[in-house]
Amino acid sequence: MANKERIAIYPGSFDPLTNGHIDIIKRALELFDRVIIAILHNPSKKALFSVDERVKMTKKCFNGENLIKVDAFGGLLVDYAKMKNATAIIRGMRAISDFESEFQMALMNRKLNKEVQSVFLMTGLRWIFTSSSIIKEAAQFGGDISDMVPEPVKLKLMEKYPKVR
Ligand code: PNS
C-alpha cells in the first residue's frame, strides 16, 4: 500500500467540546497523521451554541496545533470523509451504554462507504462520566465545571450561564 498521509475525521455535535473529547483527539493522533474535528451542522437538533460559535471556540482550544483542523459539515459523514481523503472516523467510547448506537452508526457508515473505517477509542477513566450535555446541565445551575472543559469553552459557558464556576 502506498505510504500516504493518514487522516481521521472526528465527527460530533461538540456542543461544547469537553476535556473528554480532547483526550480522544490526543489518542487519535497516536494512530493518525492528522485529525479533522468535524462539527455537524444539524438544524433539526437544538443546540446551546451555534455551529459558528462551536467552530470558533474549538479552534481556540487548538491554536497552533497544526495536526488538528476544525471544520463544520452537513449531509452524510462518509461523503465528508471522502471529500477530505480521510480513511477513518473516530468515535469515543465511554461505557457499554454508548455501544448500541455507535455500533448502528458504524454499520450504516460502512454500508454507505466500505472504504472508511470506524475506529473506537476509549476515553481516559477520568472522563468516563463527562458529556457535553451533563456539563451544560451542571453549568446552567452554577456547578463547577472548570476541570472538565478547556478554558475557551469555560469562558463561552460563562457568557451563557453567568452563575457557572
Ligand atoms: O456528537 P454526536 O451528536 O453523537 O455526533 C453524531 C454524528 C455527528 C457523528 C452523527 O449524527 C452523524 O454522523 N451525522 C451525519 C449524518 C450521517 O452521516 N448519518 C448516517 C450515519 S448514522
Side-chain angles (χ1 to χ4, degrees):
M1 198 166 55
N3 191 12
K4 64 172 187 157
E5 193 186 29
R6 294 199 166 260
I7 302 168
I9 306 287
Y10 183 34
S13 304
F14 302 105
D15 184 41
L17 182 90
T18 69
N19 286 346
H21 294 131
I22 295 177
D23 178 280
I24 293 292
I25 293 159
K26 285 187 183 150
R27 289 171 201 276
L29 277 176
E30 289 178 21
L31 303 172
F32 294 91
D33 300 314
R34 285 201 292 126
V35 172
I36 302 174
I37 303 171
I39 302 177
L40 176 67
H41 181 71
N42 182 0
S44 62
K45 194 169 167 185
K46 206 175 161 306
L48 176 65
F49 296 102
S50 70
V51 171
D52 195 46
E53 284 178 307
R54 280 180 264 163
V55 167
K56 281 196 185 124
M57 77 174 128
T58 307
K59 276 187 177 164
K60 270 193 193 157
C61 301
F62 298 105
N63 223 346
E65 307 251 8
N66 50 18
L67 302 181
I68 303 168
K69 289 272 173 295
V70 182
D71 194 12
F73 81 105
L76 281 182
L77 175 58
V78 288
D79 291 346
Y80 176 79
K82 193 172 173 192
M83 185 179 83
K84 294 288 172 185
N85 293 319
T87 50
I89 291 166
I90 302 290
R91 293 289 287 170
M93 209 50 118
R94 283 162 306 189
I96 285 290
S97 52
D98 284 341
F99 182 78
E100 201 165 329
S101 58
E102 293 298 334
F103 185 60
Q104 198 177 21
M105 202 155 65
L107 289 177
M108 176 55 104
N109 284 333
R110 183 189 283 168
K111 174 100 183 80
L112 296 169
N113 185 340
K114 280 193 267 314
E115 281 161 26
V116 182
Q117 301 302 327
S118 291
V119 175
F120 296 98
L121 295 175
M122 268 176 66
T123 41
L125 277 180
R126 196 172 161 203
W127 312 115
I128 217 101
F129 68 96
T130 57
S131 70
S132 302
S133 340
I134 208 154
I135 287 172
K136 280 183 283 189
E137 186 165 326
Q140 184 179 1
F141 299 110
D144 182 0
I145 48 84
S146 50
D147 63 349
M148 296 176 217
V149 292
E151 192 63 21
V153 171
K154 188 186 173 189
L155 295 176
K156 287 298 285 182
L157 279 169
M158 284 166 88
E159 281 176 23
K160 302 270 180 193
Y161 303 129
K163 282 205 291 182
V164 75
R165 278 175 286 152

